[in-house]
Amino acid sequence: MTKQIRQLDRVVIRFAGDSGDGMQLTGDRFTSETAQLGNDISTLPNFPAEIRAPAGTLPGVSSFQVHFADYDILTPGDAPNVLVAMNPAALKANLADLPRGADIIVNTDEFTKRNLAKVGYQASPLDDDSLDGYVVHPVALTSMTVRALADQQVSKKDAERAKNMFALGLLSWMYSRPYESTLRFLERKFAKRPELVAANVAAFRAGWNFGETTDSFSVRYEVKPAKMVPGTYRNITGNAALSLGLVAAGVRSGLPVFLGAYPITPASDILHELSKHKRFGIVTMQAEDEIAAVGAALGASYGGALGITTTSGPGVALKSETISLAVALELPLVIVDVQRAGPSTGMPTKTEQADLNMALYGRHGEAPVAVIAPKSPSDCFHAAIEAARIALTYRTPVLLLSDNYVANGSEPWLLPDVESLPDLRVEFATAPNGDDGTFLPYLRDPQTLARPWAIPGTPGLEHRIGGLEKADKTGDISYDPANHDFMVRTRAARIEAIPVPDVEVEDPDGNARLLVLGWGSTYGPIGAACRRLRQRGLPVAQAHLRHLAPMPANLGEVLRSYDRVVIPEMNLGQLAQVIRGKYLVDAIGYNQVRGLPFTATELETMLEEVLKNV
């Protein structure tokens, strides 16, 4: 059967099903196939917090969205062109996101009366006219998979579980994806159970062959590779990129890296990843709680290592006293906060960027730290190196604000030349530095205001440590009012003196009167929205902050160059409040806390309304 092949420039696919249907694995494998083909990609995993939510219910729906194109893209896509719905709950939970005319592939085997009733369907939507605006492809995924595996040495239950591989094979055929890597992956994943390797490979091939032979799919699609900077790429998530950035920081500094962490969603993957890299001098410790984790990391820094602790918002709250101790001790410490929806336990698997105020001010006393935020999954690598650079050079804690959207999303990453990465080597104190031959632990470098870093046990460098206020230079305990005022101001000046790059403004024509300012993971949706407006002839400028403390020196001048400043944030206006207070600019906040990233469409609509009044 000869099938038509149609060229497309971009596609957005969403795999959705029960939390036990393997949608994250399916989406991840499709993404890996797509990355090998050379498309630009961006992904959005979305799953319940429960390990196994009630089967077939709306709270139990897990989805994975992948956007791939033959050009540079910035977001996982606003709306899917294709929805793969493994059951009625997946259909109902995602239908509102689909544009009219979208393709829906449904697993008809799961549309039983019982499953329909679980999500409030009185009758099957496959049998009435409620889906008339879409192109529906009914496929009996479960039963076809079971029949395809009839000759395999697996139970019926294991055969049914392989239906996600059948779906992956079908979608891989539809969009002309290379599949050899998926077959190799299955061989590795089930290496201890050869019968499952054979079953899953057979299910995948059955899905591919079904697409090739059925009349239900008469068109096959191709999306050509994107034009990208030459080099070696790999598909990477934000958490993986951040982990490798910390490994690189250890290599470039020549220091051992110590991670003290307590498992918490969505930061746990960093602990898992770093534990694989012992050969690079990485030591990981899973502590009994968040406080022990940061205490161990700070102790490692005191001992001459690069101390790191990873967590999410609730963990930062628990770590705050020890972070204040690191401020007083003036030792390097990197605190990674992979933000999630709060407060309290909140929505652990949903995204938010509402920890900015805590990062800037969430410690007792005057305890300023440096704060930086990556803008995308691959940028996490460079942000991690930058956090380590600042911590080591200026002897300060650094808070690295990632979030769930960035951490679990993925995109192509151009592998850097290691020799091009910053030189992070440090010089430890090795001899007394006082005129009288004594060691002055708070005698500062005039350029960085950093104090000497003395490894315990170095002869002649004995000094007092602890949280009580220190006397300038000598480090003795001091209750002198003038000294306390001086030390507080000096610690603040050390942070403010950190040189950070100027903020860059994207204003192609130079005639925009509206500036859209973002930070963290809003970079992609803001960039996509601004592109669309410019393509329509509406001038708009975009700027993005990586360094949030200290802020770029030119930021005030940039803000005052525009008539209006809009700041979209996944919080209730935390950066906008800082900008108003620091620069006296009447910034307009656009805020949401839905546990989901902005879409480019909603930002485009909002900005168009603002432009009407500029």
Side-chain angles (χ1 to χ4, degrees), residues 380-600:
C380 287
F381 175 83
H382 300 285
I385 294 176
E386 176 68 352
R389 182 191 71 82
I390 292 174
L392 294 172
T393 304
Y394 298 92
R395 312 286 197 268
T396 178
V398 179
L399 264 157
L400 176 56
L401 290 179
S402 178
D403 66 50
N404 189 57
Y405 175 32
V406 163
N408 288 316
S410 63
E411 65 181 0
W413 172 50
L414 176 61
L415 271 63
D417 176 10
V418 174
E419 295 304 317
S420 70
L421 299 176
D423 185 347
L424 304 183
R425 286 174 294 181
V426 297
E427 292 185 6
F428 293 105
T430 57
N433 56 0
D435 293 336
D436 58 355
T438 60
F439 177 57
L440 301 176
Y442 285 85
L443 181 65
R444 301 178 183 279
D445 183 299
Q447 298 298 320
T448 65
L449 298 181
R451 76 175 186 90
W453 191 0
I455 296 178
T458 305
L461 303 189
E462 297 84 357
H463 61 283
R464 187 185 300 274
I465 64 165
L468 290 171
E469 184 62 280
K470 305 297 186 295
D472 179 39
K473 298 185 178 62
T474 67
D476 295 335
I477 294 174
S478 173
Y479 286 88
D480 179 70
N483 177 79
H484 179 57
D485 185 87
F486 175 79
M487 294 295 277
V488 166
R489 293 179 184 276
T490 301
R491 288 190 289 261
R494 188 175 82 256
I495 300 300
E496 287 300 317
I498 296 172
V500 301
D502 283 348
V503 63
E504 297 181 0
V505 181
E506 186 177 338
D507 185 1
D509 297 327
N511 60 349
R513 298 169 60 193
L514 169 64
L515 173 69
V516 188
L517 181 67
W519 70 277
S521 64
T522 58
Y523 172 78
I526 291 173
C530 290
R531 280 184 184 179
R532 295 180 186 181
L533 290 168
R534 294 187 196 114
Q535 289 170 356
R536 295 167 51 197
L538 300 174
V540 60
Q542 176 189 3
H544 204 77
L545 294 177
R546 168 185 274 183
H547 294 85
L548 297 159
M551 289 186 169
N554 70 329
L555 181 57
E557 179 185 354
V558 167
L559 294 171
R560 288 186 285 270
S561 300
Y562 293 88
D563 296 338
R564 289 285 187 276
V565 177
V566 175
I567 304 178
E569 296 181 82
M570 291 186 291
N571 57 47
L572 295 183
Q574 296 183 18
L575 177 62
Q577 185 181 40
V578 172
I579 294 297
R580 292 188 190 111
K582 186 175 179 66
Y583 299 101
L584 303 182
V585 170
D586 188 19
I588 301 170
Y590 182 76
N591 309 104
Q592 70 168 36
V593 280
R594 299 183 298 134
L596 294 170
F598 289 112
T599 67

Side-chain angles (χ1 to χ4, degrees), residues 15 23-43 64-68 165 168 172 176-186 188 204 233-237 409-412:
F15 298 91
M23 293 296 93
Q24 303 304 317
L25 174 63
T26 305
D28 181 70
R29 292 316 311 162
F30 189 90
T31 301
S32 296
E33 295 174 359
T34 299
Q36 289 190 29
L37 196 61
N39 298 126
D40 196 15
I41 51 177
S42 181
T43 68
F64 190 106
Q65 183 164 304
V66 55
H67 181 195
F68 56 103
M165 287 297 105
L168 178 59
S172 298
S176 307
R177 304 291 94 184
Y179 59 80
E180 291 79 8
S181 65
T182 293
L183 303 185
R184 291 194 297 269
F185 167 81
L186 293 173
R188 293 194 305 272
F204 181 92
Y233 288 81
R234 60 164 286 188
N235 180 47
I236 200 165
T237 65
S410 63
E411 65 181 0

